Every structure is written in C-alpha cells, then in structure tokens.
Amino acid sequence: MKLENRKILLGITGGIAAYKSAELVRQLQKSGAEVRVVMTQSAQEFVQPLTYQALSGHPVYTDIFDGEVDSAMDHIELARWCDLMVVAPASADFLAKLNAGYADNLLLTLCLANKHPLAVAPAMNQQMYANAATRENITRLKSRAVLVWGPAHGEQACGDIGPGRMLEAQQIAHRVERLFEPGKLDGLSLLLTAGPTREAIDPVRYISNHSSGKMGYALADAAIAAGADVTLVSGPVALDSPPGLELVRVESAEEMYQAVMPRAPKADLFIACAAVSDYRVEQSQPHKIKKSSESITLTLTPNQDILAAVSALENRPFCVGFAAETQDLENNARAKLERKKLDLIAANQVGDVSGGFNADQNQLEVFWSDGQQSLSMASKADIAIQLIDLIASRYTDARS
Ligand code: PMT
C-alpha cells in the first residue's frame, strides 16, 4: 500500500474529463490513500457530487460558505489536512485563475491556503492548450513549483487530435505514488550541463546548434523530484530556471568548461546533456566583420571535451554522456562510451527525425559496458524520469 496514511485532496474542475477522476479516486484509495473531493460549480455540470461522495466516503466540498457539509472542516482546515492537492482535470480557466492568485471559489481558495505540494493535470481542447496565454500560465505555475502532469496527446471529445487530453487515472495515481517514494537520488549531488554553446565569430555573430535545453532541463526537474541536489550549467536557452537548483549560465564551450571543472570533483553524478560546440573560431574578431565581395575563411580549432575531462579526473563522479547521432547510433554511442570512459551513455537519433534537437518528445537508447535499455518515444519530461531512474539504479549497482 504505497499511499498508506496519505491524505489527498482532489480538486475537480469543469471538463468532460471530470468523469475520469472517479477512477482516480478508486486508484488512490486502492493504494491506501484517504481522498476528499472538492468540485467547482462547472465540474458539477459534468458529474454529480453524489458520485464522488459515494466513492470517497466523505462529503464533497463545493462552496466556500457551506459550513453545513462538514462543520469540522472549513477551507483552511481542509488545506491543512492534506499531504498533497491534485487538481484533475484542471481546465484552462482554472489554470489562469490559479496563476493570477484568484480565490473566488472554494478550490482556488484552498490552493492559496495550501502549503503542501500541488499537482495539476491539465485537460482542454488542443487549441486552448496551444494558446499563448495558457502556455504562459503553465510555465509560470511550473516556476512556482506547481507540478504539471500531462496533458497527453490524442483524440479529444470535440473530435480534434492533439495535446490536451487529461492523463489516464492510473498514470496520475502512479505519479502520486512516486511523489511519496523516498527519492532515488536522496542526498546525492548532481552536476548537469544543458543547452547549446555559442562560439563567437565577431561581437555579433556566432557558431551554435539547435539545442533548446528542453532535454537537460527536464532531467534537472526529474533529478530534483528524485531528491538530488542539482547544479545546472546551462548554455543560452529560452527556458525558465527550474525551481530548487543552482543555475550557472554560460555562453561558450570554454565558459562551460570553466564552470564545470571546479564543481565536478564535489559531485556524485555528472550528466553531460549539453550540445557543446566541438570547435571554436581560432581568432574571433574584436569588431564586426565588414561585408565584402571576397570569400572569407574561418579557421576552427577544437574545444576541450568537457565530459572526457570530467571522466579523467582522479576523484570523478559517476559519468553519464549523451550521443547525438545521425547514423549508426549504437556503434557511434558505444565508441564514445569507451573513448570517454563513461558509466552510461544515452544516445538519440538527431537530424531529420521526430525527437532530438528542439522537439518536445524524444527516444533514447541507453548503453553501458554490459547492457542496454530502450526508452521509447515519449515527452522529454517522461523520458527524463525514466533516465533518472535508470541512472539511479546503475549508480547504486556501481557503488555496491
Ligand atoms: O536541448 P534539446 O533541444 O532538448 O535537445 C536535446 C539534445 C539532442 C541536445 C540531447 O539529447 C543530446 O543529445 N545532447 C548531447 C549533444 C552532443 O553534443 O552530442 P555529441 O555526440 O556531440 O557529444 C557527446 C557527449 O560529449 C555529450 O554528452 C556532450 O555533452 C559531450 N561533449 C561534447 C563536446 C565537448 N566539447 N564537450 C562535451 O562535454
């Protein structure tokens, strides 16, 4: 019973996915949790509170002024009572109000009064999810440590296909269970690189690549959730800093090297997810190069390999590399594993494929000296959780 003695406050907002939360109540209870339910006015247009009263075995809370439902539990008491709040489904309207700090219904008031973890499972039409306002709300909620679970991609009640479906009850229940598991990286320090580097040609031009930092930032999130103390050395990206870590911003490969090397001997684990430029311009110009009709030649000189340098340290952390390959994935990745003397390498196919650089999804083939595991195509958040799990178990094996 993974959730024995855990108290979960489940918020339900208006949406066709509201019916799925009945199964969620059942799954959470099956794992041993006590569940109490709060419904907004519009959620009640989709499912009767009586359904949730019967399933949870407790009165359903709907109104901030309804002291008669359960006089012992006013809204502050309810927020204090729970170990975790989960809002599923979380509509676009609810997310917008939560972001803005509204408290004009019981559920929003509870969210403001709650000091425990809060998770939301968005569910809405794919166009509403893609809207810049919704994306901004979600990004800002994440930066305030609200856990955003989903949405899934698929067919929607309105007939559209795209991201916006609420995760299945079992997937949400599984994430709740994980939240209460002792962290697999508890007490360990992790140094992580992410994003691209920029190699200056002159003060206004540079050589770089298509890395967005999404994979590395998802790994940082997953490692924090697993209990690690994370330092993220990041090249220039358009992502917000995940909460709860030390962020070191750099531009060039040389700056990344300088940021990583003094920190590496103190780290238990090192993951090199950054797409570091292999070369820099030998002589970057102090002033903007003037246009002319002549061709120009840039001489490129190799950068230091940060991952290989960390792996060669006497007091080295457990080293995980990435391999971005356009061909012969396994042979190239295994060659890097050996050459750089790594503990593990996560290889992704890049180029004209659906994962890899700047995509929201990825798939990985992970190799180590005597084994391998495939992580099939999923969101970078899901892939990161699976990879951190795998790294944690390989790390434990290596140390035992
Ligand atoms: O950032 P996203 O848009 O989410 O995309 C994710 C990703 C495709 C960038 C990521 O999944 C990935 O593959 N990162 C590694 C990219 C890369 O540079 O691969 P590589 O095969 O060229 O390098 C091998 C390893 O050596 C990598 O761990 C790299 O970080 C490291 N390296 C390389 C060169 C160098 N000078 N120093 C290094 O540490």
Side-chain angles (χ1 to χ4, degrees), residues 210-215 272-278 304-307 321-325 336 340 348 350 356-358 362 380:
H210 294 294
S211 171
S212 62
K214 289 177 193 170
M215 190 67 248
C273 185
V276 186
S277 295
D278 289 322
Q304 307 197 66
D305 191 304
I306 303 168
L307 176 58
F322 266 73
E325 305 297 341
K336 284 176 186 167
K340 301 190 191 191
N348 40 202
V350 294
F357 285 98
N358 202 14
N362 206 6
K380 282 185 174 167

Side-chain angles (χ1 to χ4, degrees), residues 81-264:
W81 166 83
C82 67
D83 299 311
L84 168 71
M85 270 191 83
V86 181
V87 181
S91 65
D93 176 67
F94 168 79
L95 294 171
K97 287 179 166 169
L98 180 65
N99 178 37
Y102 274 63
D104 63 357
N105 65 38
L106 177 60
L107 182 57
L108 286 162
T109 309
L110 286 166
C111 290
L112 280 190
N114 169 41
K115 66 176 171 56
H116 303 285
L118 168 63
V120 296
M124 65 199 72
N125 165 268
Q126 51 93 19
Q127 203 57 53
M128 292 170 78
Y129 179 67
N131 188 287
T134 307
R135 302 314 299 255
E136 241 173 65
N137 289 330
I138 289 179
T139 304
R140 288 180 61 186
L141 289 170
K142 278 185 183 170
S143 75
R144 284 189 229 140
V146 173
L147 303 164
V148 180
W149 292 342
H153 188 284
E155 199 173 328
Q156 306 201 296
C158 56
D160 281 6
I161 294 177
R165 280 174 64 86
M166 186 172 101
L167 293 186
E168 296 305 321
Q170 205 173 8
Q171 291 173 298
I172 299 175
H174 184 62
R175 294 206 185 195
V176 172
E177 288 174 5
R178 283 184 55 94
L179 214 57
F180 290 109
E181 276 171 10
K184 294 192 171 162
L185 298 180
D186 262 350
L188 296 177
S189 64
L190 169 73
L191 182 62
L192 173 67
T193 65
T197 61
R198 287 179 183 171
E199 310 303 318
I201 297 172
D202 66 18
V204 297
R205 304 179 179 98
Y206 55 80
I207 296 174
S208 190
N209 57 64
H210 294 294
S211 171
S212 62
K214 289 177 193 170
M215 190 67 248
Y217 278 55
L219 283 165
D221 276 335
I224 291 168
D229 188 3
V230 177
T231 301
L232 173 61
V233 179
S234 173
V237 297
L239 301 173
D240 290 328
S241 167
L245 53 66
E246 187 201 356
L247 177 67
V248 184
R249 290 184 202 275
V250 297
E251 288 261 327
S252 64
E254 175 57 22
E255 283 174 23
M256 190 170 272
Y257 179 86
Q258 294 300 341
V260 165
M261 293 314 287
R263 290 174 170 87

